[in-house]
Amino acid sequence: MNIPILESAQGTHVFIGGKSYLNMCSNNYLGLANEPRIKKSAINSIKQYGVGTTSVRPLIGTNILHIQLEKQLAGFKKTEDALVLTGGYLANLAVVQTLLSKEDIIVSDEYNHASIIDAIRLSQVRNKFIYSHNNINHLKSLLPQINKLQKIPKNDGTYPKTMIISDGVFSMDGDIANVPQLVTIAKQIGAILVIDDAHGEGVLGNHGRGIVDHFGLHNQVDIEVGTLSKAFGVIGGFITGKKQLIDQLRKARQFLFTNGLTIPDTAALVESVNILTESDERVRQLWQNATLLKNGLKNLGFNIGESQTPITPVIVGEESSAQYLAKSLFDEGIIVSAITFPMVEKGKARLRLIPSSLHTQADIETVITTLKKVGSEYALK
Ligand SMILES: *Cc1c(COP(=O)(O)O)cnc(C)c1O
């Protein structure tokens, strides 16, 4: 299918080609992308401060709103400090490239997001260990090799640093990383633990504080990478953690050599964080909708995998089946994503449904009955 072009705001219903569609595939988990309070904050900020920053942050491109947002995010995540960049993708590049060099060691889950894979490439780290997806036993089996490398001094005489990096929520299956075990292993081998919480923020934990809050592991994960373009509803990425590490990241090339967020983006995000901090109503509504959707599909016999989050895969196997089903749903007025190779392995093609807090019970029921109508033949085997 062609890229859908929206003629309306992002929301539970969107206009494409003059027609209204029920939207089941954006990452607008909490419906904040078109929230009036957030829009008002952006508009007011433009009146006061204009639009662009016209300089990189360290020169003259930092507005008080950037500082306010970073303070709020550090508070929201219950960490010492935060740094905001223009995307989650860039945030991963910044973390890996800045903290590691060629002779260091990185340990990464095989299903990690593309931005982590690219970050590892960019850092040119030579000692790479990729463990089977969420397989702690496999990770443990790599430790003797890692220990050996850790004892070989680098050219400058110091010993290599080790980083363990994982998505918190895996975006294709909706399963979550075993963060408690990763914390234990990171401590055991003296590694920096980095968790990318892009699909956890606004979803997991108290008030949507994310996966570290979900597991009650505050201050035990060295760095959390986040995105401001999913549940937070705007654009941007951020990094939270210990002050000493965040200070190091203020020297990241992704901070020094590209402009920061625009004024309205930043003001909008200040209000997003306010909304999440004030109430967990949207998060609870999201989970209610997710449970309704998953139970409905499971009861009909669809294979919805092992998701532990609102991300709802409908696994069909064949690429052509996934594409056929997405097209059939589109013809019925529902828009979902077909996820195929290389986003998932061959033979594991699927639809991916993502409910938002704003969907009504009727919206969710429409999706279930329509999938039953168009999908029985392809997905119910
Ligand atoms: C979406 C996503 C990103 C990228 O975030 P952007 O802000 O869109 O650049 C990074 N990591 C994970 C795990 C993601 O799901």
Side-chain angles (χ1 to χ4, degrees), residues 88 92 107-117 131 133-134 164-179 182 193-200 204 211-212 215 221 223 225 230 311 352:
N92 276 324
V107 186
S108 175
D109 186 293
E110 69 169 321
Y111 281 8
N112 275 345
H113 189 260
S115 56
I116 294 178
I117 295 166
Y131 57 93
H133 174 51
N134 228 348
I164 301 177
I165 189 164
S166 176
D167 282 15
V169 175
F170 291 88
S171 54
M172 297 306 160
D173 289 284
D175 56 332
I176 65 183
N178 191 337
V179 184
L182 293 178
L193 179 59
V194 179
I195 300 292
D196 178 346
D197 201 22
H199 282 277
L204 293 173
I211 193 164
V212 170
F215 282 118
V221 170
I223 292 177
V225 174
K230 292 189 171 106
I311 292 172
R352 185 179 62 172

mmCIF file of all heavy atoms in Angstrom, residues 88 92 107-117 131 133-134 164-179 182 193-200 204 211-212 215 221 223 225 230 311 352:
data_model
loop_
_atom_site.group_PDB
_atom_site.id
_atom_site.type_symbol
_atom_site.label_atom_id
_atom_site.label_comp_id
_atom_site.label_asym_id
_atom_site.label_seq_id
_atom_site.Cartn_x
_atom_site.Cartn_y
_atom_site.Cartn_z
ATOM 1 N N GLY A 88 14.307 9.936 19.372
ATOM 2 C CA GLY A 88 14.757 8.743 20.086
ATOM 3 C C GLY A 88 15.875 8.049 19.315
ATOM 4 O O GLY A 88 16.801 7.485 19.907
ATOM 5 N N ASN A 92 19.640 7.207 20.910
ATOM 6 C CA ASN A 92 20.402 5.953 20.950
ATOM 7 C C ASN A 92 21.783 6.124 20.331
ATOM 8 O O ASN A 92 22.778 5.623 20.868
ATOM 9 C CB ASN A 92 19.637 4.831 20.244
ATOM 10 C CG ASN A 92 18.629 4.174 21.171
ATOM 11 O OD1 ASN A 92 18.893 4.020 22.358
ATOM 12 N ND2 ASN A 92 17.482 3.798 20.635
ATOM 13 N N VAL A 107 26.819 -5.431 24.458
ATOM 14 C CA VAL A 107 26.006 -6.641 24.560
ATOM 15 C C VAL A 107 24.570 -6.225 24.268
ATOM 16 O O VAL A 107 24.023 -5.358 24.944
ATOM 17 C CB VAL A 107 26.111 -7.236 25.989
ATOM 18 C CG1 VAL A 107 25.401 -8.573 26.066
ATOM 19 C CG2 VAL A 107 27.577 -7.366 26.421
ATOM 20 N N SER A 108 23.957 -6.830 23.222
ATOM 21 C CA SER A 108 22.690 -6.304 22.711
ATOM 22 C C SER A 108 21.707 -7.432 22.392
ATOM 23 O O SER A 108 22.095 -8.476 21.872
ATOM 24 C CB SER A 108 23.021 -5.496 21.443
ATOM 25 O OG SER A 108 21.872 -5.036 20.787
ATOM 26 N N ASP A 109 20.421 -7.211 22.678
ATOM 27 C CA ASP A 109 19.367 -8.195 22.359
ATOM 28 C C ASP A 109 19.179 -8.247 20.836
ATOM 29 O O ASP A 109 19.179 -7.216 20.172
ATOM 30 C CB ASP A 109 18.059 -7.764 23.028
ATOM 31 C CG ASP A 109 16.940 -8.788 22.896
ATOM 32 O OD1 ASP A 109 16.453 -9.020 21.762
ATOM 33 O OD2 ASP A 109 16.536 -9.349 23.932
ATOM 34 N N GLU A 110 18.992 -9.443 20.300
ATOM 35 C CA GLU A 110 18.904 -9.570 18.830
ATOM 36 C C GLU A 110 17.694 -8.824 18.246
ATOM 37 O O GLU A 110 17.698 -8.484 17.073
ATOM 38 C CB GLU A 110 18.859 -11.043 18.393
ATOM 39 C CG GLU A 110 17.580 -11.745 18.760
ATOM 40 C CD GLU A 110 17.399 -13.118 18.101
ATOM 41 O OE1 GLU A 110 17.758 -13.276 16.924
ATOM 42 O OE2 GLU A 110 16.873 -14.011 18.779
ATOM 43 N N TYR A 111 16.661 -8.579 19.047
ATOM 44 C CA TYR A 111 15.481 -7.888 18.524
ATOM 45 C C TYR A 111 15.502 -6.385 18.789
ATOM 46 O O TYR A 111 14.498 -5.710 18.604
ATOM 47 C CB TYR A 111 14.196 -8.486 19.128
ATOM 48 C CG TYR A 111 13.735 -9.784 18.505
ATOM 49 C CD1 TYR A 111 14.526 -10.468 17.580
ATOM 50 C CD2 TYR A 111 12.495 -10.333 18.844
ATOM 51 C CE1 TYR A 111 14.104 -11.666 17.024
ATOM 52 C CE2 TYR A 111 12.066 -11.530 18.284
ATOM 53 C CZ TYR A 111 12.865 -12.195 17.376
ATOM 54 O OH TYR A 111 12.436 -13.384 16.828
ATOM 55 N N ASN A 112 16.625 -5.846 19.244
ATOM 56 C CA ASN A 112 16.665 -4.413 19.540
ATOM 57 C C ASN A 112 16.303 -3.563 18.320
ATOM 58 O O ASN A 112 16.513 -3.963 17.180
ATOM 59 C CB ASN A 112 18.051 -4.018 20.059
ATOM 60 C CG ASN A 112 18.184 -4.242 21.561
ATOM 61 O OD1 ASN A 112 17.179 -4.422 22.248
ATOM 62 N ND2 ASN A 112 19.410 -4.226 22.059
ATOM 63 N N HIS A 113 15.761 -2.392 18.607
ATOM 64 C CA HIS A 113 15.299 -1.449 17.585
ATOM 65 C C HIS A 113 16.429 -1.065 16.613
ATOM 66 O O HIS A 113 17.607 -1.018 17.002
ATOM 67 C CB HIS A 113 14.780 -0.194 18.292
ATOM 68 C CG HIS A 113 14.076 0.775 17.395
ATOM 69 N ND1 HIS A 113 14.693 1.898 16.900
ATOM 70 C CD2 HIS A 113 12.818 0.782 16.904
ATOM 71 C CE1 HIS A 113 13.831 2.575 16.156
ATOM 72 N NE2 HIS A 113 12.680 1.919 16.135
ATOM 73 N N ALA A 114 16.041 -0.760 15.386
ATOM 74 C CA ALA A 114 17.004 -0.394 14.341
ATOM 75 C C ALA A 114 17.941 0.734 14.781
ATOM 76 O O ALA A 114 19.119 0.756 14.403
ATOM 77 C CB ALA A 114 16.253 0.021 13.084
ATOM 78 N N SER A 115 17.443 1.651 15.587
ATOM 79 C CA SER A 115 18.292 2.776 15.999
ATOM 80 C C SER A 115 19.426 2.298 16.904
ATOM 81 O O SER A 115 20.508 2.891 16.915
ATOM 82 C CB SER A 115 17.461 3.853 16.702
ATOM 83 O OG SER A 115 16.766 3.324 17.806
ATOM 84 N N ILE A 116 19.211 1.227 17.644
ATOM 85 C CA ILE A 116 20.290 0.669 18.487
ATOM 86 C C ILE A 116 21.303 -0.043 17.589
ATOM 87 O O ILE A 116 22.520 0.088 17.773
ATOM 88 C CB ILE A 116 19.703 -0.287 19.551
ATOM 89 C CG1 ILE A 116 18.843 0.504 20.539
ATOM 90 C CG2 ILE A 116 20.825 -1.046 20.268
ATOM 91 C CD1 ILE A 116 18.167 -0.334 21.610
ATOM 92 N N ILE A 117 20.797 -0.754 16.601
ATOM 93 C CA ILE A 117 21.695 -1.446 15.664
ATOM 94 C C ILE A 117 22.571 -0.425 14.940
ATOM 95 O O ILE A 117 23.788 -0.578 14.845
ATOM 96 C CB ILE A 117 20.861 -2.289 14.669
ATOM 97 C CG1 ILE A 117 20.139 -3.398 15.450
ATOM 98 C CG2 ILE A 117 21.732 -2.862 13.556
ATOM 99 C CD1 ILE A 117 19.047 -4.090 14.695
ATOM 100 N N TYR A 131 22.773 -11.387 21.967
ATOM 101 C CA TYR A 131 22.153 -12.580 22.576
ATOM 102 C C TYR A 131 20.749 -12.800 22.016
ATOM 103 O O TYR A 131 20.091 -11.859 21.572
ATOM 104 C CB TYR A 131 22.148 -12.505 24.106
ATOM 105 C CG TYR A 131 21.456 -11.301 24.705
ATOM 106 C CD1 TYR A 131 20.107 -11.369 25.074
ATOM 107 C CD2 TYR A 131 22.148 -10.119 24.928
ATOM 108 C CE1 TYR A 131 19.469 -10.277 25.645
ATOM 109 C CE2 TYR A 131 21.517 -9.021 25.492
ATOM 110 C CZ TYR A 131 20.175 -9.105 25.851
ATOM 111 O OH TYR A 131 19.547 -8.024 26.399
ATOM 112 N N HIS A 133 16.883 -13.326 21.584
ATOM 113 C CA HIS A 133 15.892 -12.413 22.112
ATOM 114 C C HIS A 133 15.424 -12.778 23.527
ATOM 115 O O HIS A 133 14.860 -13.850 23.731
ATOM 116 C CB HIS A 133 14.685 -12.372 21.177
ATOM 117 C CG HIS A 133 13.562 -11.557 21.733
ATOM 118 N ND1 HIS A 133 13.749 -10.274 22.192
ATOM 119 C CD2 HIS A 133 12.256 -11.848 21.934
ATOM 120 C CE1 HIS A 133 12.588 -9.816 22.640
ATOM 121 N NE2 HIS A 133 11.678 -10.746 22.503
ATOM 122 N N ASN A 134 15.678 -11.851 24.442
ATOM 123 C CA ASN A 134 15.219 -11.970 25.836
ATOM 124 C C ASN A 134 15.655 -13.283 26.488
ATOM 125 O O ASN A 134 15.011 -13.737 27.431
ATOM 126 C CB ASN A 134 13.689 -11.838 25.901
ATOM 127 C CG ASN A 134 13.268 -10.860 26.989
ATOM 128 O OD1 ASN A 134 14.065 -10.444 27.825
ATOM 129 N ND2 ASN A 134 11.998 -10.490 26.989
ATOM 130 N N ILE A 164 25.469 -3.037 28.350
ATOM 131 C CA ILE A 164 24.366 -3.930 27.977
ATOM 132 C C ILE A 164 23.213 -3.024 27.558
ATOM 133 O O ILE A 164 22.851 -2.097 28.283
ATOM 134 C CB ILE A 164 23.925 -4.829 29.151
ATOM 135 C CG1 ILE A 164 25.100 -5.691 29.632
ATOM 136 C CG2 ILE A 164 22.737 -5.707 28.744
ATOM 137 C CD1 ILE A 164 24.757 -6.560 30.845
ATOM 138 N N ILE A 165 22.648 -3.284 26.379
ATOM 139 C CA ILE A 165 21.586 -2.411 25.871
ATOM 140 C C ILE A 165 20.405 -3.243 25.391
ATOM 141 O O ILE A 165 20.580 -4.265 24.727
ATOM 142 C CB ILE A 165 22.134 -1.470 24.767
ATOM 143 C CG1 ILE A 165 21.106 -0.413 24.399
ATOM 144 C CG2 ILE A 165 22.608 -2.239 23.533
ATOM 145 C CD1 ILE A 165 21.686 0.774 23.628
ATOM 146 N N SER A 166 19.195 -2.804 25.774
ATOM 147 C CA SER A 166 17.998 -3.550 25.367
ATOM 148 C C SER A 166 16.808 -2.601 25.240
ATOM 149 O O SER A 166 16.678 -1.644 25.997
ATOM 150 C CB SER A 166 17.661 -4.622 26.414
ATOM 151 O OG SER A 166 16.457 -5.281 26.080
ATOM 152 N N ASP A 167 15.930 -2.908 24.297
ATOM 153 C CA ASP A 167 14.611 -2.294 24.305
ATOM 154 C C ASP A 167 13.935 -2.690 25.617
ATOM 155 O O ASP A 167 14.169 -3.798 26.116
ATOM 156 C CB ASP A 167 13.738 -2.860 23.169
ATOM 157 C CG ASP A 167 14.058 -2.281 21.794
ATOM 158 O OD1 ASP A 167 15.119 -1.667 21.628
ATOM 159 O OD2 ASP A 167 13.221 -2.467 20.884
ATOM 160 N N GLY A 168 13.097 -1.831 26.151
ATOM 161 C CA GLY A 168 12.279 -2.205 27.304
ATOM 162 C C GLY A 168 11.087 -3.013 26.818
ATOM 163 O O GLY A 168 10.894 -4.173 27.169
ATOM 164 N N VAL A 169 10.293 -2.388 25.969
ATOM 165 C CA VAL A 169 9.178 -3.067 25.302
ATOM 166 C C VAL A 169 9.619 -3.319 23.860
ATOM 167 O O VAL A 169 10.130 -2.410 23.211
ATOM 168 C CB VAL A 169 7.913 -2.174 25.285
ATOM 169 C CG1 VAL A 169 6.794 -2.834 24.484
ATOM 170 C CG2 VAL A 169 7.456 -1.860 26.706
ATOM 171 N N PHE A 170 9.446 -4.545 23.388
ATOM 172 C CA PHE A 170 9.827 -4.855 22.006
ATOM 173 C C PHE A 170 8.630 -4.544 21.109
ATOM 174 O O PHE A 170 7.534 -5.078 21.313
ATOM 175 C CB PHE A 170 10.294 -6.308 21.908
ATOM 176 C CG PHE A 170 11.596 -6.506 22.617
ATOM 177 C CD1 PHE A 170 11.620 -6.814 23.977
ATOM 178 C CD2 PHE A 170 12.798 -6.320 21.959
ATOM 179 C CE1 PHE A 170 12.820 -6.942 24.658
ATOM 180 C CE2 PHE A 170 14.001 -6.448 22.634
ATOM 181 C CZ PHE A 170 14.014 -6.767 23.979
ATOM 182 N N SER A 171 8.897 -3.692 20.115
ATOM 183 C CA SER A 171 7.777 -3.040 19.426
ATOM 184 C C SER A 171 7.006 -3.954 18.486
ATOM 185 O O SER A 171 5.872 -3.663 18.152
ATOM 186 C CB SER A 171 8.283 -1.820 18.674
ATOM 187 O OG SER A 171 9.339 -2.179 17.813
ATOM 188 N N MET A 172 7.586 -5.047 18.052
ATOM 189 C CA MET A 172 6.868 -5.914 17.119
ATOM 190 C C MET A 172 6.011 -6.954 17.834
ATOM 191 O O MET A 172 4.991 -7.380 17.324
ATOM 192 C CB MET A 172 7.857 -6.616 16.180
ATOM 193 C CG MET A 172 8.627 -5.644 15.307
ATOM 194 S SD MET A 172 7.522 -4.565 14.387
ATOM 195 C CE MET A 172 8.643 -3.234 13.987
ATOM 196 N N ASP A 173 6.438 -7.384 19.019
ATOM 197 C CA ASP A 173 5.707 -8.425 19.754
ATOM 198 C C ASP A 173 5.014 -7.901 21.012
ATOM 199 O O ASP A 173 4.128 -8.566 21.544
ATOM 200 C CB ASP A 173 6.664 -9.555 20.151
ATOM 201 C CG ASP A 173 7.105 -10.361 18.940
ATOM 202 O OD1 ASP A 173 6.290 -11.162 18.453
ATOM 203 O OD2 ASP A 173 8.239 -10.186 18.467
ATOM 204 N N GLY A 174 5.453 -6.754 21.501
ATOM 205 C CA GLY A 174 4.843 -6.196 22.710
ATOM 206 C C GLY A 174 5.292 -6.885 23.990
ATOM 207 O O GLY A 174 4.739 -6.650 25.050
ATOM 208 N N ASP A 175 6.315 -7.754 23.880
ATOM 209 C CA ASP A 175 6.834 -8.387 25.100
ATOM 210 C C ASP A 175 7.844 -7.442 25.758
ATOM 211 O O ASP A 175 8.277 -6.468 25.144
ATOM 212 C CB ASP A 175 7.466 -9.752 24.784
ATOM 213 C CG ASP A 175 8.569 -9.672 23.727
ATOM 214 O OD1 ASP A 175 8.514 -8.754 22.885
ATOM 215 O OD2 ASP A 175 9.479 -10.507 23.754
ATOM 216 N N ILE A 176 8.178 -7.718 27.015
ATOM 217 C CA ILE A 176 9.056 -6.785 27.721
ATOM 218 C C ILE A 176 10.333 -7.469 28.181
ATOM 219 O O ILE A 176 10.365 -8.664 28.460
ATOM 220 C CB ILE A 176 8.343 -6.050 28.888
ATOM 221 C CG1 ILE A 176 7.923 -6.984 29.996
ATOM 222 C CG2 ILE A 176 7.134 -5.302 28.375
ATOM 223 C CD1 ILE A 176 7.164 -6.255 31.110
ATOM 224 N N ALA A 177 11.404 -6.675 28.237
ATOM 225 C CA ALA A 177 12.715 -7.204 28.607
ATOM 226 C C ALA A 177 12.717 -7.619 30.074
ATOM 227 O O ALA A 177 12.006 -7.031 30.896
ATOM 228 C CB ALA A 177 13.784 -6.140 28.364
ATOM 229 N N ASN A 178 13.537 -8.601 30.373
ATOM 230 C CA ASN A 178 13.700 -9.045 31.756
ATOM 231 C C ASN A 178 14.688 -8.099 32.459
ATOM 232 O O ASN A 178 15.842 -8.444 32.703
ATOM 233 C CB ASN A 178 14.209 -10.490 31.769
ATOM 234 C CG ASN A 178 14.141 -11.096 33.148
ATOM 235 O OD1 ASN A 178 14.133 -10.379 34.145
ATOM 236 N ND2 ASN A 178 14.097 -12.416 33.211
ATOM 237 N N VAL A 179 14.202 -6.905 32.771
ATOM 238 C CA VAL A 179 15.098 -5.874 33.305
ATOM 239 C C VAL A 179 15.718 -6.275 34.655
ATOM 240 O O VAL A 179 16.904 -6.024 34.873
ATOM 241 C CB VAL A 179 14.398 -4.497 33.366
ATOM 242 C CG1 VAL A 179 15.374 -3.419 33.825
ATOM 243 C CG2 VAL A 179 13.841 -4.127 32.002
ATOM 244 N N LEU A 182 18.664 -8.307 33.880
ATOM 245 C CA LEU A 182 19.697 -7.503 33.218
ATOM 246 C C LEU A 182 20.437 -6.648 34.244
ATOM 247 O O LEU A 182 21.658 -6.470 34.152
ATOM 248 C CB LEU A 182 19.086 -6.632 32.117
ATOM 249 C CG LEU A 182 18.521 -7.380 30.901
ATOM 250 C CD1 LEU A 182 17.904 -6.400 29.903
ATOM 251 C CD2 LEU A 182 19.594 -8.217 30.209
ATOM 252 N N LEU A 193 24.143 -0.301 32.103
ATOM 253 C CA LEU A 193 22.894 -0.860 31.570
ATOM 254 C C LEU A 193 22.051 0.259 30.954
ATOM 255 O O LEU A 193 21.744 1.253 31.613
ATOM 256 C CB LEU A 193 22.112 -1.579 32.675
ATOM 257 C CG LEU A 193 20.768 -2.179 32.248
ATOM 258 C CD1 LEU A 193 20.939 -3.207 31.121
ATOM 259 C CD2 LEU A 193 20.059 -2.814 33.440
ATOM 260 N N VAL A 194 21.693 0.067 29.680
ATOM 261 C CA VAL A 194 20.879 1.053 28.953
ATOM 262 C C VAL A 194 19.567 0.382 28.532
ATOM 263 O O VAL A 194 19.588 -0.665 27.890
ATOM 264 C CB VAL A 194 21.611 1.549 27.685
ATOM 265 C CG1 VAL A 194 20.751 2.548 26.917
ATOM 266 C CG2 VAL A 194 22.963 2.164 28.043
ATOM 267 N N ILE A 195 18.451 0.996 28.891
ATOM 268 C CA ILE A 195 17.146 0.480 28.470
ATOM 269 C C ILE A 195 16.443 1.538 27.627
ATOM 270 O O ILE A 195 16.288 2.688 28.048
ATOM 271 C CB ILE A 195 16.263 0.115 29.696
ATOM 272 C CG1 ILE A 195 16.922 -0.957 30.576
ATOM 273 C CG2 ILE A 195 14.864 -0.324 29.252
ATOM 274 C CD1 ILE A 195 17.038 -2.339 29.956
ATOM 275 N N ASP A 196 16.028 1.129 26.423
ATOM 276 C CA ASP A 196 15.281 2.018 25.532
ATOM 277 C C ASP A 196 13.791 1.818 25.805
ATOM 278 O O ASP A 196 13.218 0.784 25.470
ATOM 279 C CB ASP A 196 15.632 1.675 24.076
ATOM 280 C CG ASP A 196 14.850 2.530 23.071
ATOM 281 O OD1 ASP A 196 13.863 3.178 23.466
ATOM 282 O OD2 ASP A 196 15.239 2.526 21.888
ATOM 283 N N ASP A 197 13.191 2.830 26.400
ATOM 284 C CA ASP A 197 11.818 2.710 26.915
ATOM 285 C C ASP A 197 10.776 3.355 25.985
ATOM 286 O O ASP A 197 9.705 3.765 26.438
ATOM 287 C CB ASP A 197 11.773 3.367 28.305
ATOM 288 C CG ASP A 197 10.608 2.901 29.152
ATOM 289 O OD1 ASP A 197 10.086 1.807 28.880
ATOM 290 O OD2 ASP A 197 10.227 3.635 30.081
ATOM 291 N N ALA A 198 11.076 3.405 24.685
ATOM 292 C CA ALA A 198 10.209 4.145 23.750
ATOM 293 C C ALA A 198 8.738 3.724 23.807
ATOM 294 O O ALA A 198 7.846 4.576 23.778
ATOM 295 C CB ALA A 198 10.750 3.996 22.329
ATOM 296 N N HIS A 199 8.487 2.419 23.893
ATOM 297 C CA HIS A 199 7.090 1.955 23.936
ATOM 298 C C HIS A 199 6.607 1.705 25.363
ATOM 299 O O HIS A 199 5.505 1.198 25.552
ATOM 300 C CB HIS A 199 6.923 0.677 23.108
ATOM 301 C CG HIS A 199 6.845 0.913 21.635
ATOM 302 N ND1 HIS A 199 5.667 1.278 21.001
ATOM 303 C CD2 HIS A 199 7.778 0.857 20.668
ATOM 304 C CE1 HIS A 199 5.885 1.411 19.708
ATOM 305 N NE2 HIS A 199 7.172 1.162 19.471
ATOM 306 N N GLY A 200 7.442 2.039 26.352
ATOM 307 C CA GLY A 200 7.034 1.831 27.738
ATOM 308 C C GLY A 200 6.500 3.106 28.372
ATOM 309 O O GLY A 200 5.623 3.085 29.237
ATOM 310 N N LEU A 204 3.636 1.745 30.693
ATOM 311 C CA LEU A 204 3.971 0.914 31.852
ATOM 312 C C LEU A 204 4.247 1.784 33.076
ATOM 313 O O LEU A 204 4.595 2.957 32.956
ATOM 314 C CB LEU A 204 5.227 0.086 31.554
ATOM 315 C CG LEU A 204 5.120 -1.011 30.485
ATOM 316 C CD1 LEU A 204 6.502 -1.590 30.206
ATOM 317 C CD2 LEU A 204 4.155 -2.105 30.913
ATOM 318 N N ILE A 211 9.166 1.419 32.056
ATOM 319 C CA ILE A 211 9.467 0.039 32.464
ATOM 320 C C ILE A 211 10.284 -0.024 33.760
ATOM 321 O O ILE A 211 10.126 -0.952 34.550
ATOM 322 C CB ILE A 211 10.175 -0.726 31.320
ATOM 323 C CG1 ILE A 211 10.193 -2.233 31.624
ATOM 324 C CG2 ILE A 211 11.585 -0.196 31.067
ATOM 325 C CD1 ILE A 211 10.499 -3.099 30.439
ATOM 326 N N VAL A 212 11.139 0.958 33.986
ATOM 327 C CA VAL A 212 11.944 0.930 35.212
ATOM 328 C C VAL A 212 11.023 1.107 36.423
ATOM 329 O O VAL A 212 11.149 0.409 37.440
ATOM 330 C CB VAL A 212 13.042 2.012 35.159
ATOM 331 C CG1 VAL A 212 13.721 2.172 36.501
ATOM 332 C CG2 VAL A 212 14.075 1.652 34.087
ATOM 333 N N PHE A 215 9.041 -2.111 37.163
ATOM 334 C CA PHE A 215 9.783 -3.112 37.932
ATOM 335 C C PHE A 215 10.301 -2.553 39.268
ATOM 336 O O PHE A 215 10.966 -3.273 40.016
ATOM 337 C CB PHE A 215 10.980 -3.626 37.125
ATOM 338 C CG PHE A 215 10.627 -4.626 36.051
ATOM 339 C CD1 PHE A 215 10.873 -4.345 34.711
ATOM 340 C CD2 PHE A 215 10.052 -5.846 36.374
ATOM 341 C CE1 PHE A 215 10.567 -5.268 33.716
ATOM 342 C CE2 PHE A 215 9.745 -6.781 35.392
ATOM 343 C CZ PHE A 215 9.999 -6.491 34.059
ATOM 344 N N VAL A 221 19.029 1.153 36.815
ATOM 345 C CA VAL A 221 19.306 1.136 35.377
ATOM 346 C C VAL A 221 20.085 2.418 35.120
ATOM 347 O O VAL A 221 19.616 3.503 35.459
ATOM 348 C CB VAL A 221 17.989 1.105 34.578
ATOM 349 C CG1 VAL A 221 18.233 1.325 33.099
ATOM 350 C CG2 VAL A 221 17.262 -0.225 34.818
ATOM 351 N N ILE A 223 21.031 4.113 32.394
ATOM 352 C CA ILE A 223 20.518 5.076 31.425
ATOM 353 C C ILE A 223 19.205 4.568 30.850
ATOM 354 O O ILE A 223 19.093 3.416 30.449
ATOM 355 C CB ILE A 223 21.527 5.280 30.265
ATOM 356 C CG1 ILE A 223 22.780 5.978 30.786
ATOM 357 C CG2 ILE A 223 20.896 6.082 29.130
ATOM 358 C CD1 ILE A 223 23.842 6.157 29.738
ATOM 359 N N VAL A 225 16.715 5.526 27.702
ATOM 360 C CA VAL A 225 16.507 6.322 26.500
ATOM 361 C C VAL A 225 15.000 6.369 26.280
ATOM 362 O O VAL A 225 14.307 5.381 26.502
ATOM 363 C CB VAL A 225 17.205 5.658 25.289
ATOM 364 C CG1 VAL A 225 16.868 6.389 24.000
ATOM 365 C CG2 VAL A 225 18.708 5.631 25.507
ATOM 366 N N LYS A 230 6.003 9.260 20.755
ATOM 367 C CA LYS A 230 4.961 8.223 20.831
ATOM 368 C C LYS A 230 3.903 8.672 21.847
ATOM 369 O O LYS A 230 3.136 9.576 21.550
ATOM 370 C CB LYS A 230 5.591 6.868 21.132
ATOM 371 C CG LYS A 230 6.440 6.375 19.942
ATOM 372 C CD LYS A 230 6.921 4.956 20.087
ATOM 373 C CE LYS A 230 7.545 4.469 18.796
ATOM 374 N NZ LYS A 230 9.003 4.383 18.843
ATOM 375 N N ILE A 311 0.472 -3.217 22.683
ATOM 376 C CA ILE A 311 0.830 -3.632 21.318
ATOM 377 C C ILE A 311 0.214 -5.013 21.073
ATOM 378 O O ILE A 311 0.465 -5.940 21.831
ATOM 379 C CB ILE A 311 2.363 -3.702 21.153
ATOM 380 C CG1 ILE A 311 2.959 -2.299 21.235
ATOM 381 C CG2 ILE A 311 2.747 -4.401 19.854
ATOM 382 C CD1 ILE A 311 4.485 -2.265 21.271
ATOM 383 N N ARG A 352 -0.235 -5.427 13.109
ATOM 384 C CA ARG A 352 0.025 -4.905 14.445
ATOM 385 C C ARG A 352 -1.021 -3.852 14.760
ATOM 386 O O ARG A 352 -1.157 -2.869 14.038
ATOM 387 C CB ARG A 352 1.428 -4.324 14.557
ATOM 388 C CG ARG A 352 1.733 -3.893 15.998
ATOM 389 C CD ARG A 352 3.117 -3.339 16.150
ATOM 390 N NE ARG A 352 3.304 -2.147 15.355
ATOM 391 C CZ ARG A 352 4.384 -1.364 15.428
ATOM 392 N NH1 ARG A 352 5.369 -1.681 16.229
ATOM 393 N NH2 ARG A 352 4.479 -0.299 14.684
#
